[in-house]
Amino acid sequence: MNATSRKPVHLAVYDTLADWEPGFATAYLARGGYEIRTAGASAARPVTSIGALRVVPDLALDAVHPEDSSLLILPGADLWDTSDDLAPFARKAREFLAAGVPVAAICGATAGLAREGLLDDRDHTSAVSSYLAATGYGGGRRYVEADAVTDRGLVTAGPTEPVAFAREILRLLGVYEGEVLDAWYRLFHDSDAEAYAVLEKATAGR
């Protein structure tokens, strides 16, 4: 698929979003030719991240449709655990998965998906198993102790694993594969200097 035929990736944005969590993914998706479009509860109201970044959404969540998207990314945010304000984003994730379009959730967003019932029948991970268990969800038997997990179009990761989260997304959308993806991960996760040469050689023609 060439860059011009790729559908955008939609990044959900909301107050208290953990701005560091999707950064590796969005940066390298953009470098790989994907347009990143931000989606908020309203396109008219800016949101403020935990890091005090002010983001004006490109479009409202209601205007985001699976058929127009390659992926929905849901970052963590304090609001996932302190209110029901972000429940519409979890419902949008259900819509995406039902349509066969992938979703990637990290940190608090995994709890939102657990409350929505989306983790009951998929392998998944999060910060710790007890964090999701506190939601009362029915998927505890499917919890995996791993840095990031992909199952049937759903990527999950805990708050300390933004690089592993990005690795799963880049694999899922075919941005990097095989030894190139492995080199990318080793460079950014392990600071493996030898991986840089592999990645530089593989991406020189891009």
Side-chain angles (χ1 to χ4, degrees):
M1 183 183 294
N2 61 47
T4 57
S5 64
R6 287 174 174 160
K7 297 177 182 179
V9 167
H10 289 90
L11 171 66
V13 294
Y14 20 73
D15 286 331
T16 75
L17 78 91
D19 38 34
W20 66 91
E21 291 175 348
F24 282 97
T26 55
Y28 281 87
L29 286 169
R31 286 191 167 192
Y34 283 91
E35 178 188 4
I36 309 299
R37 304 205 72 199
T38 55
S42 166
R45 188 179 70 83
V47 302
T48 304
S49 74
I50 291 176
L53 298 180
R54 185 174 181 272
V55 180
V56 180
D58 293 317
L59 68 168
L61 183 66
D62 287 346
V64 177
H65 305 291
E67 61 269 24
D68 301 323
S69 184
S70 291
L71 171 73
L72 175 65
I73 300 177
L74 300 175
D78 292 343
L79 287 178
W80 282 112
D81 296 319
T82 59
S83 77
D84 294 327
D85 290 357
L86 303 187
F89 291 88
R91 291 194 292 271
K92 183 62 68 172
R94 175 179 292 281
E95 182 183 338
F96 265 61
L97 292 171
V101 181
V103 172
I106 184 170
C107 189
T110 63
L113 298 194
R115 294 184 189 98
E116 184 65 19
L118 295 175
L119 304 185
D120 289 354
D121 61 352
R122 284 179 170 85
D123 290 344
H124 60 275
T125 194
S126 184
V128 289
S129 59
S130 58
Y131 171 61
L132 293 186
T135 68
Y137 84 129
R141 71 194 184 284
R142 301 296 295 265
Y143 189 90
V144 180
E145 294 288 352
D147 53 9
V149 172
T150 301
D151 186 10
R152 291 164 43 222
L154 177 61
V155 176
T156 51
T160 61
E161 298 295 344
V163 179
F165 183 61
R167 176 195 63 203
E168 296 302 297
I169 290 170
L170 297 177
R171 176 190 290 126
L172 191 65
L173 295 189
V175 176
Y176 295 141
E177 298 175 327
E179 67 172 8
V180 179
L181 181 65
D182 176 67
W184 183 91
Y185 181 74
R186 287 188 290 114
L187 177 63
F188 289 104
H189 188 268
D190 304 326
S191 299
D192 183 347
E194 293 183 2
Y196 178 77
V198 177
L199 190 61
E200 183 180 40
K201 181 179 179 180
T203 59
R206 292 196 175 197

Short mmCIF file of all heavy atoms in Angstrom, two decimals, residues 98-133:
data_model
loop_
_atom_site.label_atom_id
_atom_site.label_comp_id
_atom_site.label_asym_id
_atom_site.label_seq_id
_atom_site.Cartn_x
_atom_site.Cartn_y
_atom_site.Cartn_z
N ALA A 98 -15.41 -4.18 15.98
CA ALA A 98 -16.52 -4.88 15.32
C ALA A 98 -16.43 -4.78 13.81
O ALA A 98 -16.85 -5.68 13.08
CB ALA A 98 -17.85 -4.32 15.81
N ALA A 99 -15.83 -3.68 13.34
CA ALA A 99 -15.67 -3.46 11.90
C ALA A 99 -14.37 -4.05 11.36
O ALA A 99 -14.08 -3.92 10.17
CB ALA A 99 -15.73 -1.97 11.60
N GLY A 100 -13.57 -4.66 12.24
CA GLY A 100 -12.31 -5.25 11.81
C GLY A 100 -11.17 -4.27 11.65
O GLY A 100 -10.18 -4.57 10.99
N VAL A 101 -11.31 -3.09 12.27
CA VAL A 101 -10.26 -2.06 12.21
C VAL A 101 -9.54 -2.06 13.57
O VAL A 101 -10.20 -2.00 14.61
CB VAL A 101 -10.83 -0.68 11.90
CG1 VAL A 101 -9.72 0.36 11.83
CG2 VAL A 101 -11.59 -0.72 10.58
N PRO A 102 -8.21 -2.10 13.58
CA PRO A 102 -7.50 -2.27 14.84
C PRO A 102 -7.57 -1.08 15.79
O PRO A 102 -7.80 0.06 15.38
CB PRO A 102 -6.06 -2.54 14.41
CG PRO A 102 -5.95 -2.05 13.01
CD PRO A 102 -7.31 -2.15 12.42
N VAL A 103 -7.37 -1.41 17.06
CA VAL A 103 -7.34 -0.44 18.15
C VAL A 103 -6.10 -0.71 18.99
O VAL A 103 -5.70 -1.87 19.17
CB VAL A 103 -8.60 -0.58 19.05
CG1 VAL A 103 -8.49 0.28 20.30
CG2 VAL A 103 -9.86 -0.25 18.26
N ALA A 104 -5.46 0.35 19.48
CA ALA A 104 -4.30 0.22 20.36
C ALA A 104 -4.55 1.04 21.62
O ALA A 104 -4.81 2.24 21.53
CB ALA A 104 -3.04 0.69 19.65
N ALA A 105 -4.50 0.39 22.78
CA ALA A 105 -4.79 1.05 24.05
C ALA A 105 -3.64 0.82 25.02
O ALA A 105 -3.12 -0.29 25.14
CB ALA A 105 -6.08 0.51 24.65
N ILE A 106 -3.26 1.88 25.72
CA ILE A 106 -2.15 1.80 26.65
C ILE A 106 -2.57 2.41 27.99
O ILE A 106 -3.39 3.32 28.04
CB ILE A 106 -0.90 2.50 26.07
CG1 ILE A 106 0.33 2.34 27.00
CG2 ILE A 106 -1.16 3.96 25.75
CD1 ILE A 106 1.64 2.80 26.36
N CYS A 107 -2.01 1.87 29.06
CA CYS A 107 -2.18 2.41 30.41
C CYS A 107 -3.67 2.45 30.78
O CYS A 107 -4.38 1.47 30.67
CB CYS A 107 -1.52 3.78 30.48
SG CYS A 107 -1.42 4.49 32.15
N GLY A 108 -4.16 3.60 31.23
CA GLY A 108 -5.54 3.70 31.70
C GLY A 108 -6.58 3.35 30.66
O GLY A 108 -7.71 2.95 31.01
N ALA A 109 -6.24 3.49 29.38
CA ALA A 109 -7.20 3.13 28.33
C ALA A 109 -7.52 1.64 28.37
O ALA A 109 -8.62 1.25 27.97
CB ALA A 109 -6.65 3.53 26.96
N THR A 110 -6.59 0.82 28.85
CA THR A 110 -6.89 -0.62 28.96
C THR A 110 -8.00 -0.86 29.97
O THR A 110 -8.84 -1.73 29.78
CB THR A 110 -5.65 -1.43 29.34
OG1 THR A 110 -5.17 -1.03 30.64
CG2 THR A 110 -4.53 -1.26 28.32
N ALA A 111 -8.04 -0.05 31.04
CA ALA A 111 -9.11 -0.18 32.02
C ALA A 111 -10.44 0.24 31.41
O ALA A 111 -11.49 -0.37 31.68
CB ALA A 111 -8.81 0.65 33.25
N GLY A 112 -10.40 1.28 30.58
CA GLY A 112 -11.61 1.69 29.89
C GLY A 112 -12.15 0.60 29.00
O GLY A 112 -13.37 0.35 28.95
N LEU A 113 -11.26 -0.09 28.30
CA LEU A 113 -11.70 -1.19 27.43
C LEU A 113 -12.18 -2.38 28.26
O LEU A 113 -13.10 -3.10 27.85
CB LEU A 113 -10.57 -1.62 26.50
CG LEU A 113 -10.06 -0.56 25.51
CD1 LEU A 113 -9.20 -1.23 24.45
CD2 LEU A 113 -11.20 0.21 24.87
N ALA A 114 -11.54 -2.58 29.42
CA ALA A 114 -12.00 -3.66 30.31
C ALA A 114 -13.43 -3.41 30.76
O ALA A 114 -14.28 -4.31 30.75
CB ALA A 114 -11.08 -3.78 31.51
N ARG A 115 -13.73 -2.17 31.14
CA ARG A 115 -15.09 -1.83 31.57
C ARG A 115 -16.10 -2.00 30.44
O ARG A 115 -17.27 -2.30 30.67
CB ARG A 115 -15.14 -0.39 32.09
CG ARG A 115 -14.32 -0.17 33.36
CD ARG A 115 -14.47 1.24 33.90
NE ARG A 115 -13.53 1.49 34.97
CZ ARG A 115 -12.36 2.11 34.81
NH1 ARG A 115 -12.02 2.59 33.61
NH2 ARG A 115 -11.55 2.27 35.83
N GLU A 116 -15.63 -1.80 29.22
CA GLU A 116 -16.49 -1.94 28.05
C GLU A 116 -16.67 -3.40 27.64
O GLU A 116 -17.48 -3.72 26.75
CB GLU A 116 -15.90 -1.13 26.88
CG GLU A 116 -16.71 -1.09 25.61
CD GLU A 116 -18.05 -0.39 25.74
OE1 GLU A 116 -18.24 0.39 26.70
OE2 GLU A 116 -18.92 -0.62 24.88
N GLY A 117 -15.93 -4.31 28.29
CA GLY A 117 -16.03 -5.73 27.99
C GLY A 117 -15.18 -6.20 26.83
O GLY A 117 -15.29 -7.35 26.39
N LEU A 118 -14.30 -5.34 26.35
CA LEU A 118 -13.52 -5.68 25.16
C LEU A 118 -12.31 -6.56 25.45
O LEU A 118 -11.66 -7.05 24.52
CB LEU A 118 -13.08 -4.39 24.45
CG LEU A 118 -14.23 -3.55 23.89
CD1 LEU A 118 -13.71 -2.24 23.33
CD2 LEU A 118 -14.99 -4.33 22.82
N LEU A 119 -11.98 -6.74 26.73
CA LEU A 119 -10.84 -7.58 27.08
C LEU A 119 -11.27 -8.95 27.61
O LEU A 119 -10.42 -9.77 27.97
CB LEU A 119 -9.96 -6.88 28.13
CG LEU A 119 -9.44 -5.50 27.76
CD1 LEU A 119 -8.49 -4.99 28.85
CD2 LEU A 119 -8.75 -5.50 26.40
N ASP A 120 -12.55 -9.19 27.66
CA ASP A 120 -13.03 -10.45 28.22
C ASP A 120 -12.64 -11.66 27.40
O ASP A 120 -12.45 -12.75 27.95
CB ASP A 120 -14.57 -10.41 28.35
CG ASP A 120 -15.04 -9.47 29.45
OD1 ASP A 120 -14.19 -8.94 30.19
OD2 ASP A 120 -16.27 -9.27 29.57
N ASP A 121 -12.52 -11.48 26.08
CA ASP A 121 -12.24 -12.64 25.21
C ASP A 121 -11.00 -12.45 24.35
O ASP A 121 -10.85 -13.11 23.32
CB ASP A 121 -13.45 -12.95 24.33
CG ASP A 121 -13.81 -11.80 23.41
OD1 ASP A 121 -13.23 -10.71 23.55
OD2 ASP A 121 -14.68 -12.00 22.52
N ARG A 122 -10.11 -11.54 24.78
CA ARG A 122 -8.85 -11.33 24.06
C ARG A 122 -7.68 -11.38 25.04
O ARG A 122 -7.79 -10.88 26.16
CB ARG A 122 -8.82 -9.97 23.36
CG ARG A 122 -9.64 -9.86 22.09
CD ARG A 122 -9.52 -8.45 21.52
NE ARG A 122 -10.09 -8.33 20.19
CZ ARG A 122 -11.37 -8.12 19.94
NH1 ARG A 122 -12.23 -8.01 20.94
NH2 ARG A 122 -11.81 -8.02 18.69
N ASP A 123 -6.56 -11.94 24.59
CA ASP A 123 -5.34 -11.82 25.37
C ASP A 123 -4.98 -10.34 25.46
O ASP A 123 -5.13 -9.59 24.49
CB ASP A 123 -4.19 -12.59 24.72
CG ASP A 123 -4.38 -14.10 24.81
OD1 ASP A 123 -5.22 -14.55 25.61
OD2 ASP A 123 -3.70 -14.81 24.06
N HIS A 124 -4.46 -9.92 26.62
CA HIS A 124 -4.19 -8.50 26.83
C HIS A 124 -3.22 -8.32 27.99
O HIS A 124 -2.95 -9.25 28.74
CB HIS A 124 -5.49 -7.75 27.13
CG HIS A 124 -6.19 -8.26 28.36
ND1 HIS A 124 -7.05 -9.34 28.32
CD2 HIS A 124 -6.13 -7.89 29.66
CE1 HIS A 124 -7.49 -9.60 29.54
NE2 HIS A 124 -6.95 -8.71 30.37
N THR A 125 -2.74 -7.09 28.12
CA THR A 125 -1.91 -6.74 29.27
C THR A 125 -2.25 -5.32 29.69
O THR A 125 -3.11 -4.66 29.10
CB THR A 125 -0.41 -6.90 28.95
OG1 THR A 125 0.33 -6.86 30.18
CG2 THR A 125 0.09 -5.82 28.00
N SER A 126 -1.59 -4.87 30.75
CA SER A 126 -1.81 -3.52 31.27
C SER A 126 -0.68 -3.22 32.25
O SER A 126 0.39 -3.82 32.16
CB SER A 126 -3.19 -3.43 31.94
OG SER A 126 -3.45 -2.10 32.37
N ALA A 127 -0.93 -2.32 33.20
CA ALA A 127 0.09 -1.99 34.19
C ALA A 127 0.38 -3.22 35.06
O ALA A 127 1.52 -3.68 35.15
CB ALA A 127 -0.38 -0.82 35.05
N VAL A 128 -0.64 -3.72 35.71
CA VAL A 128 -0.60 -4.96 36.50
C VAL A 128 -1.99 -5.58 36.43
O VAL A 128 -2.99 -4.89 36.20
CB VAL A 128 -0.22 -4.71 37.98
CG1 VAL A 128 1.24 -4.33 38.12
CG2 VAL A 128 -1.11 -3.67 38.62
N SER A 129 -2.07 -6.88 36.68
CA SER A 129 -3.36 -7.56 36.57
C SER A 129 -4.38 -7.03 37.57
O SER A 129 -5.58 -6.95 37.27
CB SER A 129 -3.18 -9.06 36.74
OG SER A 129 -2.60 -9.36 38.00
N SER A 130 -3.91 -6.65 38.77
CA SER A 130 -4.84 -6.17 39.80
C SER A 130 -5.51 -4.86 39.40
O SER A 130 -6.63 -4.57 39.83
CB SER A 130 -4.11 -5.99 41.13
OG SER A 130 -3.02 -5.09 40.99
N TYR A 131 -4.82 -4.06 38.59
CA TYR A 131 -5.40 -2.80 38.11
C TYR A 131 -6.65 -3.07 37.29
O TYR A 131 -7.70 -2.43 37.49
CB TYR A 131 -4.36 -2.04 37.30
CG TYR A 131 -4.88 -0.82 36.58
CD1 TYR A 131 -5.42 0.25 37.27
CD2 TYR A 131 -4.82 -0.73 35.19
CE1 TYR A 131 -5.91 1.38 36.61
CE2 TYR A 131 -5.29 0.39 34.51
CZ TYR A 131 -5.83 1.43 35.24
OH TYR A 131 -6.31 2.54 34.58
N LEU A 132 -6.57 -4.04 36.38
CA LEU A 132 -7.75 -4.37 35.58
C LEU A 132 -8.78 -5.14 36.39
O LEU A 132 -9.99 -4.97 36.20
CB LEU A 132 -7.34 -5.19 34.35
CG LEU A 132 -6.50 -4.46 33.30
CD1 LEU A 132 -6.31 -5.36 32.08
CD2 LEU A 132 -7.14 -3.14 32.88
N ALA A 133 -8.33 -5.97 37.32
CA ALA A 133 -9.27 -6.73 38.14
C ALA A 133 -10.19 -5.81 38.92
O ALA A 133 -11.36 -6.13 39.15
CB ALA A 133 -8.50 -7.65 39.09
#
